[in-house]
């Protein structure tokens, strides 16, 4: 507590409040940065641009993130964390494999529908010649994390899902997204994912014929 010029006692922001405000600022900056990268590409996004649009001084951005490169890295990490949370494999344990496949494809479709720019941000970072190697490493580790999620979610003790097949599924998700986005998102992304899901389910059935 402190007294103002009139002698009134006023409450001063405590450490918890400052921390919360700082966290809110970081989250706002990261969200805006992801949108700007998707729209303009990595090399075209500047700290001045971010500062003006989010309403935070450039010096504050540097205090929070250290550099533009580290801010971009934070944005990439945030994207992959969001996608992994959306897949949520833990609640699929014990369910029939076909149901788990349906659920994973549905969750991917739902995530891209709610966050249509997300994969575009990653693609912009990946294909930009100016993207630092550290950011590329974050992208690589993020995709490896998705592979691990799929191996866990769709494998069984009797028939583990191989890493190669999980990588193929990740590639299918990326390809479906690119076609959907390039075509103006006029159809549900599920229309692009369903043929791949059916193909995968047919492959599972052929690999695991019903027991007699």
């Amino acid at each position: 507590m402190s007294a103002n010029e009139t002698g009134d006692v006023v409450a001063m922001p405590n450490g918890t409040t400052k921390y919360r405000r700082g966290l809110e600022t970081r989250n706002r900056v990261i969200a805006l940065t992801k949108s700007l990268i998707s729209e303009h590409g990595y090399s075209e996004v500047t700290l001045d641009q971010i500062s003006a649009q989010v309403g935070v001084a450039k010096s504050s951005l540097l205090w929070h993130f250290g550099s533009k490169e580290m801010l971009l890295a934070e944005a990439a990490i945030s994207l992959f964390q969001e996608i992994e949370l959306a897949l949520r494999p833990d609640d699929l344990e014990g369910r029939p494999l076909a149901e788990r496949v349906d659920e994973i494809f549905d969750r991917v479709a739902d995530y891209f529908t709610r966050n249509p720019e997300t994969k575009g941000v990653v693609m912009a970072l990946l294909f930009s010649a100016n993207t630092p190697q550290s950011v590329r490493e974050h992208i690589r580790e993020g995709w490896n994390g998705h592979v691990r999620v799929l191996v866990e979610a769709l494998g069984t003790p009797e028939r583990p899902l191989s890493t190669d097949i999980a990588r193929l599924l990740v590639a299918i998700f990326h390809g479906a997204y690119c076609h959907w986005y390039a075509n103006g998102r006029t159809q549900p992304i599920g229309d692009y994912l369903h043929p791949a899901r059916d193909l995968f389910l047919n492959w599972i059935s052929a690999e695991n014929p019903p027991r007699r």
Side-chain angles (χ1 to χ4, degrees):
M1 304 291 286
S2 177
N4 62 16
E5 293 180 356
T6 64
D8 297 326
V9 176
V10 296
M12 300 296 291
N14 58 31
T16 301
T17 301
K18 290 181 179 179
Y19 174 79
R20 185 177 67 250
R21 289 176 180 171
L23 190 60
E24 289 172 353
T25 297
R26 286 180 66 88
N27 291 339
R28 284 194 296 117
V29 170
I30 289 172
L32 175 70
T33 302
K34 288 187 287 188
S35 177
L36 290 174
I37 296 170
S38 178
E39 183 178 357
H40 302 292
Y42 173 86
S43 61
E44 300 301 319
V45 178
T46 66
L47 287 179
D48 288 331
Q49 187 180 24
I50 296 169
S51 172
Q53 293 204 26
V54 82
V56 173
K58 184 176 176 180
S59 59
S60 293
L61 293 177
L62 292 172
W63 184 85
H64 278 289
F65 300 98
S67 67
K68 172 187 167 180
E69 288 73 24
M70 290 307 300
L71 172 52
L72 268 293
E74 289 260 5
I77 292 170
S78 173
L79 287 172
F80 291 120
Q81 289 173 337
E82 290 172 6
I83 296 172
E84 288 188 26
L85 285 173
L87 293 177
R88 302 185 310 276
D90 295 343
D91 63 338
L92 299 178
E93 187 176 353
R95 295 171 61 176
L97 183 55
E99 285 187 16
R100 282 183 275 154
V101 172
D102 282 340
E103 188 66 24
I104 286 291
F105 272 80
D106 287 345
R107 290 178 186 184
V108 170
D110 178 67
Y111 181 80
F112 284 142
T113 299
R114 289 185 292 105
N115 304 276
E117 307 298 337
T118 295
K119 188 58 67 177
V121 174
V122 177
M123 295 297 185
L125 286 169
L126 183 63
F127 291 111
S128 172
N130 298 312
T131 300
Q133 186 59 34
S134 61
V135 177
R136 295 183 186 278
E137 284 297 311
H138 284 307
I139 293 174
R140 184 180 66 82
E141 285 303 315
W143 279 342
N144 286 340
H146 300 165
V147 168
R148 290 191 292 270
V149 166
L150 293 173
V151 167
E152 179 183 348
L154 301 180
T156 65
E158 298 78 20
R159 186 180 178 281
L161 185 73
S162 72
T163 300
D164 289 341
I165 296 299
R167 287 198 190 102
L168 176 61
L169 284 175
V170 171
I172 287 171
F173 296 154
H174 293 169
Y177 168 86
C178 289
H179 281 283
W180 172 66
Y181 202 93
N183 288 332
R185 295 177 284 163
T186 55
Q187 296 174 264
I189 192 172
D191 291 354
Y192 295 83
L193 288 167
H194 289 165
R197 180 200 62 188
D198 293 343
L199 184 65
F200 186 65
L201 286 172
N202 289 337
W203 173 75
I204 290 173
S205 298
E207 289 285 308
N208 297 274
R211 294 181 181 178
R212 301 193 178 191

